[in-house]
Amino acid sequence: SAICNNDDYNRSTRLLAQTTLRNVLGTRNLSEILSDRENIAEAMHHSLEVATDPWGVHVDRVEIKDVRLPQQMQRAMAAEAEATRDARAKVIAAEGEQKSSKALKEAADIIAQSPAALQLRYLQTLNSISAEKNSTIIFPLPMEIVGAFAGNNVRKRQVGGGEE
């Protein structure tokens, strides 16, 4: 039957296999090609079986052993893989930032409930800074004094701005 429907069924089957391979690989990215050889081979086998059945040719099995991609396609696939890695890295960084901001908000809420907690956190920070070997000189001031100075400057600006 193969001879009646096709003059050179061997050559036609090989050309069809090459075309099918190009079509199937063109729909996959590099990581899928490297990891899903069995699934790609199964898809090709099914496609070849359907196409060669009218010729009376039975495709016994399809194995993908070595795929050589043109340089241009390799570069395109590498660029796609790099873009995918960059996108994943950005998503992971954004998730980390989100978790960090939630933790900072919870810590701020807890510290806001107790003025002593803020002072303890301040002293803990001073302790960690002093543990490092550096030449930084730290002058601890109570937060109320800093707040009073900041409040006076605001009042002076408001009063000064009203007189002009």
Side-chain angles (χ1 to χ4, degrees):
S1 175
I3 295 173
C4 296
N5 293 328
N6 192 329
D7 292 337
D8 191 356
Y9 66 91
N10 190 12
R11 182 173 178 272
S12 296
T13 304
R14 289 178 189 273
L15 288 173
L16 182 62
Q18 290 173 1
T19 303
T20 304
L21 179 64
R22 285 188 195 107
N23 289 342
V24 170
L25 293 183
T27 62
R28 310 288 174 111
N29 61 32
L30 185 59
S31 62
E32 289 175 340
I33 291 171
L34 297 175
S35 63
D36 276 349
R37 285 181 156 185
E38 293 82 21
N39 290 337
I40 293 170
E42 186 59 38
M44 284 185 60
H45 181 253
H46 176 72
S47 179
L48 289 172
E49 239 342 274
V50 169
T52 59
D53 190 42
W55 301 341
V57 174
H58 172 70
V59 177
D60 190 38
R61 70 174 180 261
V62 174
E63 292 181 15
I64 299 174
K65 294 183 179 182
D66 184 29
V67 178
R68 293 184 188 128
L69 301 172
Q71 282 296 116
Q72 185 178 2
M73 188 176 224
Q74 288 177 9
R75 282 192 293 270
M77 288 178 152
E80 178 187 4
E82 184 176 355
T84 301
R85 283 192 304 272
D86 288 347
R88 283 187 197 140
K90 287 178 183 178
V91 167
I92 290 169
E95 288 172 352
E97 288 289 327
Q98 185 179 26
K99 288 178 184 177
S100 175
S101 66
K102 285 181 182 178
L104 284 172
K105 184 191 177 308
E106 290 174 9
D109 291 344
I110 292 169
I111 288 175
Q113 293 174 2
S114 170
L118 182 59
Q119 191 66 29
L120 287 173
R121 180 66 183 126
Y122 179 67
L123 292 172
Q124 184 182 23
T125 303
L126 288 176
N127 185 33
S128 65
I129 291 172
S130 66
E132 299 173 5
K133 294 183 179 183
N134 58 28
S135 60
T136 305
I137 299 172
I138 299 172
F139 295 104
L141 294 173
M143 298 303 287
E144 292 81 16
I145 293 174
V146 174
F149 283 125
N152 285 338
N153 286 338
V154 170
R155 279 188 228 121
K156 285 180 185 176
R157 284 186 205 137
Q158 289 174 346
V159 171
E163 292 176 1
E164 293 177 7

